[in-house]
Amino acid sequence: MDIFSIAITSYLMGSIPFGFILTKIFLNKDIRRIGSGNIGATNALRTGNKIIGYATLILDVLKAVIPVIYTKISITSNW
């Protein structure tokens, strides 16, 4: 796999706003109007729902880890 497709895949994974998506689906709230207005896990905790906050944190970590693992696998498979 070439570096261009890895970069595009990583960028697209990183651009998913899980805090916004989860609070919109499960709480029917706009997280940008709560607390600091940030769509991250800390502000998702301010919604009053710990499950949404922790789910946002886990999904945000995974969207950083998955492209790294994918890249390592694709690089080692080309050797």
Side-chain angles (χ1 to χ4, degrees):
M1 180 163 268
D2 63 338
I3 192 77
F4 182 72
S5 61
I6 290 172
I8 294 295
T9 304
S10 299
Y11 177 78
L12 291 175
M13 285 283 296
S15 67
I16 301 171
F18 286 116
F20 179 74
I21 292 170
L22 293 176
T23 55
K24 194 61 148 175
I25 290 174
F26 294 110
L27 302 178
N28 201 19
K29 294 182 180 178
D30 187 359
I31 194 168
R32 297 171 296 182
R33 303 202 185 278
I34 300 170
S36 67
N38 193 341
I39 60 171
T42 301
N43 205 33
L45 277 172
R46 290 184 183 128
T47 62
N49 193 327
K50 289 184 181 180
I51 294 172
I52 298 294
Y54 292 136
T56 301
L57 177 65
I58 291 168
L59 290 171
D60 281 348
V61 168
L62 284 177
K63 76 178 179 182
V65 171
I66 289 172
V68 171
I69 292 171
Y70 179 69
T71 303
K72 283 194 70 93
I73 289 171
S74 67
I75 288 173
T76 56
S77 67
N78 289 335
W79 286 87

